[in-house]
């Protein structure tokens, strides 16, 4: 079993169990920081530029000072050094706001192997239940302080939703708005196929996180003979779609095989999308 | 200037700039942990039992293992040792979920002096703007996965709201629901007076954090010749109230002197409530 790697800005590689963050770091006390997670294949992070761009945007929205991209790239390179080319990995970049009582932000990278459950999700698909996120679909568009589209270190609700799913013997949750639209999952983006059109939820109108992997699939949908678009969708429409997927950087393309107890028919496009995304199955 | 104190479970007192948390602690990566903050006066934490009870409840809601209360009390005692009786303080207890890759949770206490801005808020009151929290008022009651009433380490939105207020030259935000009810502030509880009745927002129906200081004020309202109740309120009603306050453990009782640009008349009850809560002015 390959060991996780931790690299801290200013210190280089450190053992995984090294304490890095002060008690008063606002990244700890307030979940006040930003992060990105990338898939590593062939020893390289996939879509690094896109993830860095999203991290820069998250930091700007939080008015959080972020190191230059070149510094973050170097941090990633240091973590990747010696990582076996045949070993999948999850590379995370994190930047906190720093100590409440003054001092520098904590900036670090971690690189770890993929969990078995993640690989299994690609191969077998996911059982999913819808759950309200509490918001009307468009409310975050006019309320930037709600941090729609920002990837911050405040995932307590995301984690609680996944525990809630697990309690019911399910793999994941699909968040829906109070006015009946599907939004996203706690750690992945919704994509679906209907009438040979691959769709995802528009981030601008809804406050969902703009998915890097979903974006890549939509941008390359023509390679699979599909159109691509962003639109709103209701869960009932998903059960009649020609394919529904939860898509994320590390898990890749995972088919939803059951939604709210309704079995969804397997989509012939799943294998094509997985090849397009390039995660090992 | 008195120095902040940090105490870590298993290590005792450590210098403030000591790194305590691993890079893979889910308290860092996911804001997945619980905390409480108490006011220290006369060298003792105020309402310690009530705060511990709320912390236990938060942890239970997150299915987070929390040390026994006696352990948390001892942690607090260690932090308080030698703290001057004439020095106000903010005592924080924190417990994370622990490392993603296995290992113990991080449990620590911090104790720090009060900020000047906090004392000023008691003396001069607050200018406040309403801002939507995005939720209909009752949605969290039926959706426990949204963590209504839980004090988790995921305060990125709370902090963003306070930055948003500051950008407009204001002191704080009052969250309102999408259906027009006042909820709470990012780090304090709403109280108001009307018809000699001191009110706060019912936590059970709304998912706001049940305020320990607000509870104490309501429980002792009779000492001031007031009735006490929990009820919903709309911001327009607040501008016509006989007093509006944002109440929290450390800031204590701060009068709202301006709400959405409307000056609220000073309430004769402010001084009484502040005496009742016992924070120095």
């Amino acid at each position: 079993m390959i060991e996780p790697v931790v690299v801290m800005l200013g210190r280089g590689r450190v053992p995984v169990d090294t304490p890095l963050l002060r008690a008063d770091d606002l990244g700890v006390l307030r979940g006040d920081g930003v992060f990105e997670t990338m898939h590593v294949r062939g020893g390289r992070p996939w879509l690094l530029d896109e993830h860095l761009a999203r991290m820069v945007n998250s930091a700007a929205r939080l008015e959080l000072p972020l190191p230059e991209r070149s510094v973050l790239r170097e941090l990633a390179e240091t973590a990747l050094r010696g990582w076996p080319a045949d070993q999948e990995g999850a590379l995370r970049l994190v930047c906190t706001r720093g100590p409440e009582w003054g001092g520098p932000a904590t900036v670090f990278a971690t690189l770890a192997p993929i969990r078995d459950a993640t690989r299994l999700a690609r191969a077998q698909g996911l059982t999913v239940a819808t759950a309200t996120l509490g918001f009307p679909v468009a409310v975050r568009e006019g309320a930037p302080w709600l941090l729609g589209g920002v990837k911050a270190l405040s995932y307590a609700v995301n984690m609680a939703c996944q525990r809630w799913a697990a309690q019911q013997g399910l793999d994941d949750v699909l968040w829906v708005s109070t006015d009946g639209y599907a939004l996203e999952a706690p750690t992945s983006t919704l994509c679906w196929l209907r009438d040979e059109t691959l769709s995802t939820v528009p981030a601008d109108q809804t406050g969902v996180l703009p998915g890097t992997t979903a974006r890549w699939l939509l941008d390359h949908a023509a390679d699979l003979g599909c159109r691509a678009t962003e639109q709103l969708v209701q869960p009932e429409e998903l059960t009649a779609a020609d394919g529904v997927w939860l898509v994320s950087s590390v898990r890749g393309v995972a088919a939803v095989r059951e939604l709210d107890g309704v079995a969804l028919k397997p989509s012939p496009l799943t294998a094509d999308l997985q090849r397009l995304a390039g995660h090992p199955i």
Side-chain angles (χ1 to χ4, degrees), chain A:
Chain A
M1 179 63 179
I2 191 163
E3 281 294 305
V5 173
V6 176
V7 182
M8 185 180 173
L9 186 64
R11 283 181 65 179
R13 280 198 189 215
V14 296
V16 168
D17 59 357
T18 309
L20 297 188
L21 294 108
R22 293 168 50 151
D24 66 335
D25 194 309
L26 292 164
V28 178
L29 296 178
R30 299 299 197 183
D32 199 359
V34 295
F35 77 106
E36 285 292 327
T37 312
M38 283 146 277
H39 189 249
V40 170
R41 76 272 297 266
R44 306 298 311 158
W46 192 49
L47 300 179
L48 175 60
D49 289 349
E50 290 80 352
H51 282 281
L52 289 177
R54 192 168 67 178
M55 197 173 186
V56 166
N57 181 62
S58 292
R61 290 281 308 285
L62 288 178
E63 298 174 50
L64 185 86
L66 191 70
E68 293 292 325
R69 289 183 207 212
S70 58
V71 173
L72 297 170
R73 277 176 203 285
E74 178 56 32
L75 209 59
E77 288 301 330
T78 306
L80 287 160
R81 207 162 295 148
W83 189 261
D86 62 354
Q87 174 83 39
E88 275 188 272
L91 173 68
R92 201 189 251 118
L93 291 171
V94 179
C95 178
T96 72
R97 195 176 294 276
E100 185 169 29
W101 304 321
T106 311
V107 185
F108 63 91
T110 67
L111 176 55
I114 304 295
R115 293 166 190 280
D116 291 339
T118 302
R119 281 204 198 84
L120 209 64
R122 292 176 202 155
Q124 303 193 346
L126 301 167
T127 56
V128 175
T130 56
T132 186
L133 187 56
F135 295 126
V137 69
V139 77
R140 290 185 289 185
E141 194 182 8
W145 54 85
L146 297 180
L147 302 182
V150 171
K151 201 166 173 70
L153 296 172
S154 285
Y155 263 46
V157 165
N158 309 52
M159 298 297 101
C161 287
Q162 292 190 335
R163 279 193 301 276
W164 178 80
Q167 281 161 11
Q168 298 167 77
L170 299 173
D171 297 316
D172 212 339
V173 154
L174 174 63
W175 280 329
V176 293
S177 68
T178 52
D179 42 2
Y181 295 97
L183 293 168
E184 63 186 331
T187 60
S188 51
T189 311
L190 175 67
C191 292
W192 69 97
L193 182 74
R194 184 120 200 215
D195 299 332
E196 296 177 344
T197 302
L198 184 65
S199 297
T200 193
V201 175
D204 284 349
Q205 298 167 42
T206 64
V208 304
L209 191 72
T212 50
T213 306
R215 178 77 272 149
W216 203 85
L217 295 176
L218 264 69
D219 286 350
H220 294 78
D223 300 355
L224 306 179
C226 296
R227 291 179 297 273
T229 194
E230 299 187 350
Q231 57 178 321
L232 294 177
V233 69
Q234 297 186 315
E236 309 80 72
E237 300 174 83
L238 291 175
T239 54
D242 302 317
V244 180
W245 302 274
L246 294 183
V247 171
S248 66
S249 298
V250 172
R251 195 162 62 184
V253 178
V256 178
R257 63 180 166 87
E258 183 190 303
L259 182 62
D260 287 337
V262 176
L264 306 192
K265 61 172 188 244
S267 172
L269 206 68
T270 298
D272 292 336
L273 288 171
Q274 291 183 328
R275 263 190 299 275
L276 196 54
H279 299 73
I281 306 300

